[in-house]
Amino acid sequence: MIDALKGLNVQPVLLTGDNKRAASAIAGQLHIDEVHAECLPEDKLKWIDDYQKKGETICMIGDGVNDAPALKKANVGIAMGSVVSDIAVDAADIALVDDEVKELPHLIALSKRMMTTIKLNMTFSMTLNFIAIILAIIGTLNPVIGALVHNTGSVLVIINSSLLLKWRKK
C-alpha cells in the first residue's frame, strides 16, 4: 500500500507516540522515509500545521483519542479500526469500519477520477444549456424541444457519473 501511495505522489509520514526505536523499526518495514516519534497530540498538530504551511495537502489516519485533534486539523481525516474511539470518528471526515487501509490508494485514485468526472459533467451541462439558451433566444429551439434537450443532458450526466460505481484503476 505504501508503495502504491508513493506511485500516486503521496508521501507517507509516520507520526506516532511510540518511542523512536519502535517507530523506526515499523517505518523501515513499511518503507516510510519520514518518521516523527514520541509525539503528543499537540506535536502531531504542529507537524500537520508545518506541512500545511508548506502548501501540502494532509491526509491523517488515526484511531484514538490522541489522534482526534490531528484528524480534525488535517485536510482529510480518516478514523480507522473496529475499536476506533468515538472522538476520533467525530473528528474525522471518513471512518473505516475495519483495520484495512489497503484500499487507500484506490480511494485516492477514485477521488481524482471523481473530480475529473465532475468537471467534465459541469462543462458538458453548462455548454449544452448555453447552446440551448442561445438557440431559444434566436427562435430555433421551442420550449418542448428545449425541455427534452435539458433532460437528455441531465440523463447523460447521471449515466457518466454512475460509471464511477464500477471504476477501478488499471
Side-chain angles (χ1 to χ4, degrees):
M1 181 198 70
I2 298 294
D3 293 337
L5 287 173
K6 287 180 179 180
L8 293 169
N9 293 324
V10 174
Q11 178 58 47
V13 176
L14 180 59
L15 298 176
T16 181
D18 293 334
N19 68 54
K20 291 179 183 180
R21 202 170 119 217
S24 294
I26 296 287
Q29 291 174 2
L30 297 175
H31 308 282
I32 297 176
D33 301 326
E34 195 169 342
V35 181
H36 304 287
E38 300 176 359
C39 291
L40 297 171
E42 55 270 18
D43 297 326
K44 293 177 183 180
L45 279 174
K46 179 195 164 299
W47 282 111
I48 289 173
D49 190 49
D50 289 348
Y51 288 117
Q52 287 175 332
K53 285 180 180 173
K54 292 179 193 174
E56 297 184 35
T57 303
I58 305 300
C59 175
M60 168 73 182
I61 302 172
D63 65 353
V65 174
N66 292 336
D67 295 324
L71 289 169
K72 192 72 170 169
K73 178 140 183 78
N75 300 88
V76 177
I78 301 175
M80 61 163 264
S82 54
V83 293
V84 67
S85 74
D86 290 340
I87 294 172
V89 170
D90 289 343
D93 301 302
I94 300 168
L96 301 178
V97 294
D98 57 24
D99 290 329
E100 295 294 327
V101 292
K102 67 181 180 209
E103 288 296 318
L104 191 57
H106 170 71
L107 293 174
I108 291 171
L110 177 61
S111 68
K112 289 178 181 181
R113 176 60 182 224
M114 181 187 65
M115 289 307 298
T116 300
T117 299
I118 289 170
K119 290 173 186 174
L120 177 70
N121 286 345
M122 292 294 294
T123 302
F124 169 75
S125 64
M126 291 176 77
T127 302
L128 181 67
N129 287 338
F130 179 75
I131 291 170
I133 289 168
I134 298 299
L135 291 175
I137 289 172
I138 62 174
T140 306
L141 194 64
N142 68 44
V144 173
I145 300 299
L148 287 173
V149 167
H150 176 76
N151 289 335
T152 301
S154 297
V155 169
L156 290 174
V157 164
I158 292 168
I159 290 170
N160 190 38
S161 297
S162 69
L163 295 175
L164 289 171
L165 293 170
K166 298 283 184 188
W167 184 84
R168 281 277 187 215
K169 187 174 184 196
K170 295 172 174 99

